[in-house]
Each structure stands twice: as C-alpha cells, then as structure tokens.
Amino acid sequence: MVQHSSSTVPTALSDALLAAVDDNVRAALREDVGDGDITARLIPEHRNAHARVITREPGIFCGRPWVEAVFRELDPHTRLLWHVQDGSALEENQTLFELTGNARVLLTGERTALNFVQTLSGVATLSAHYAAQVAETPVTLLDTRKTLPGLRLAQKYAVRCGGCANHRVGLYDAFLIKENHIAACGGIEAAVSQARRIAPDKPVEVEVETLAQLEEALNANADIVMLDNFDEQALRTAVERNQGRAKLEASGNITDANLTTLAATGVDYISIGALTKHCRALDLSMRLSIEGL
C-alpha cells in the first residue's frame, strides 16, 4: 500500500482508485504500445539500463501509483527507487524517481508513465496554488466533474494531493439539482422531495441563480445550496439569510482575482472547475544510461 508524506493525501488508496489505476494504465499501454514497441527492438533484448526522471520546474508531485503500475504491467522485475511521495513539493531539476531494469522496458514505459505524472502533478500543482490563497480561511475548495474522460478518480486524487477537496465523484453518489432538473420536476420543492424518495441516504444539493431561489431551496431543506455566479454582495446576503440552515457553495467564474474576496463572504465551499479543466502538465524528463556502454 502506498504511503504518503502529505497530510492532505490519504494514507491508503481506496479499492475503487486502485482498480482505476490498473484500468488507466492498461488502457494507456494499449493505446501507446499496440502490438509492440518497434523502436525499442533496436536495442538488444537482454540489455539493462538505469533511468532517472527529473522535473524541469517546481510543483507538487502526484502519480506514483500509476508509475508503479506501468512498470509492473510491463515487467515486474523493474526496480523503482523513489525520491518523492505524492503531495511532495518539488524544486526545479529535482530527481523524482529512478528505474533499473531491461532497457527496452524502460523506454517502452517512459511516455505512458510520464504522461500520468505530468498530468496529475499539473492538477496537484494548480490545486495547491488555489489552496494556498485561502489557507487562512475556513472555506473548503472543491473540484467538479469537469475531468478528462477516463481519468475522473485520478484527477480527483491529484486534487487532494494539492490540498483541495472533492465534490461528488459522479452522477451516482449525490444529487445536484440544476435548472433543467428543476424545470422538468416542476419546481425546487418538488425536485428535492423526489430526490429524498429516490435515495434518502444521498446528499441533496440545489443550484440556484437568485436569492429568491435560495429561499425556495432552504424551505425545501436542501443539504447544500450552490450559489451560481453570485457576486460578493449577493454571497454575503445569502450567508446572512441562510443562518446555517444549509451548507453554501459558491460556484462560477472563480479566478485568482476574486477567490480570496469570495472566500471571505462566509460560504462553506467554493467549487472550481479549473482545478481539473485548466491544469498545465508539469515539464518532466527521463535521462537513460545503458549498462556497459
């Protein structure tokens, strides 16, 4: 079981995430390797090598389970030496991990392993950037479902590595009643009542666009109310009217420029689609040396 150095990262991966890691890696290897790495066959079959993976820029590391799964899938005899853990802060030119094993295997797995690490570290780095801005406030920053297809659990794990938290994972673990749901059900109260009948144990969140709709959602006993594109003053008014009856979540057009201001309004949560949607991959490099050459 992978252990982590950052308190923001779970000390053990859930069964669902462990299964997702294996699924992610197998799909990525099928995509990249196909029926064989023809370029790696230029190298003698039994030649061994040593590789060192570095980052060319600072950030927050994430992706160790995916790297381990890549080389476990290709050749379980590959040896990995880790210099960082998920959630670790990185410096420019820092060594992340080392690999020793069959040269063909190291080269075949290079791009798949680095793709996972650079993407997930990018998510973790951006999440840490936002988390640092509200560190002195009680607000919790949440991700959204705006993730790369097939990498939902991976990106949500990376968000936690960066110090933020997860909203619902998918359409199955919580209700989020939006404008079209409200219209189709005939109103907020009807939608919330129906949700309670369908799955009494699931949290019910209602997205509202006005203070009048907020009152409707509160009167319907929603657990969470998402305040969509409310400005600072509207958020303060919403917090005042709420009086702790429900958890309040600010959402929509959250940026560096307004995050700290909105966090100070007293809302419980701020959801930011950019955590997974706008991340930029970390710049990594693998340096290979062939044994005996």
Side-chain angles (χ1 to χ4, degrees), residues 65-77:
W66 286 264
V67 173
E68 292 174 341
V70 166
F71 291 101
R72 183 170 63 244
E73 188 75 17
L74 291 172
D75 181 0
H77 296 103

Side-chain angles (χ1 to χ4, degrees), residues 150-286:
L151 290 180
R152 172 70 53 81
L153 292 182
Q155 285 194 282
K156 283 183 172 284
Y157 171 77
V159 164
R160 297 198 304 277
C161 288
C164 295
N166 299 148
H167 205 281
R168 61 178 180 161
V169 174
L171 297 172
Y172 54 87
D173 57 338
F175 290 95
L176 179 47
I177 300 170
K178 297 189 175 187
E179 178 183 7
N180 289 333
H181 302 106
I182 293 168
C185 291
I188 289 175
E189 183 179 0
V192 173
S193 296
Q194 179 73 346
R196 299 293 188 200
R197 286 192 292 271
I198 292 171
D201 60 327
K202 302 293 187 184
V204 177
E205 181 170 2
V206 178
E207 181 184 72
V208 303
E209 298 177 350
T210 66
L211 290 169
Q213 286 185 325
L214 168 65
E215 290 294 341
E216 290 183 60
L218 293 175
N219 291 335
N221 294 316
D223 299 306
I224 308 169
V225 181
M226 178 187 288
L227 308 167
D228 184 39
N229 284 297
F230 278 43
D231 63 20
E232 178 189 358
Q233 185 53 54
L235 288 176
R236 292 187 182 278
T237 301
V239 170
E240 183 179 344
R241 292 188 184 182
N242 179 45
Q243 294 294 306
R245 287 182 283 172
K247 296 292 187 181
L248 297 182
E249 174 186 336
S251 182
N253 294 314
I254 309 299
T255 67
D256 279 342
N258 63 16
L259 177 59
T260 55
T261 299
L262 299 183
T265 61
V267 295
D268 301 284
Y269 307 116
I270 297 177
S271 55
I272 306 174
L275 296 182
T276 53
K277 185 165 67 89
H278 292 166
C279 68
R280 182 183 63 79
L282 221 60
D283 188 9
L284 309 178
S285 177
M286 188 173 93

Side-chain angles (χ1 to χ4, degrees), residues 53-112:
V53 174
I54 68 166
T55 175
R56 293 194 177 102
E57 59 183 327
I60 301 297
F61 180 79
C62 182
R64 173 170 172 165
W66 286 264
V67 173
E68 292 174 341
V70 166
F71 291 101
R72 183 170 63 244
E73 188 75 17
L74 291 172
D75 181 0
H77 296 103
T78 305
R79 297 192 302 276
L80 283 87
L81 175 62
W82 287 98
H83 296 277
V84 296
Q85 301 288 339
D86 285 349
S88 296
L90 306 177
E91 300 177 354
E92 183 179 357
N93 294 320
Q94 182 175 349
T95 298
L96 307 180
F97 57 94
E98 296 178 65
L99 296 152
T100 304
N102 181 271
R104 287 186 179 185
V105 168
L106 299 194
L107 290 169
T108 296
E110 173 187 2
R111 178 43 50 204
T112 297

Side-chain angles (χ1 to χ4, degrees), residues 107-148:
L107 290 169
T108 296
E110 173 187 2
R111 178 43 50 204
T112 297
L114 266 59
N115 279 351
F116 282 116
V117 171
Q118 69 186 22
T119 300
L120 298 182
S121 295
V123 172
T125 299
L126 185 58
S127 297
H129 168 75
Y130 279 108
Q133 296 182 57
V134 298
E136 303 303 318
T137 76
V139 76
T140 298
L141 300 186
L142 302 174
D143 56 22
T144 71
R145 287 168 45 242
K146 296 174 182 176
T147 54
L148 294 171

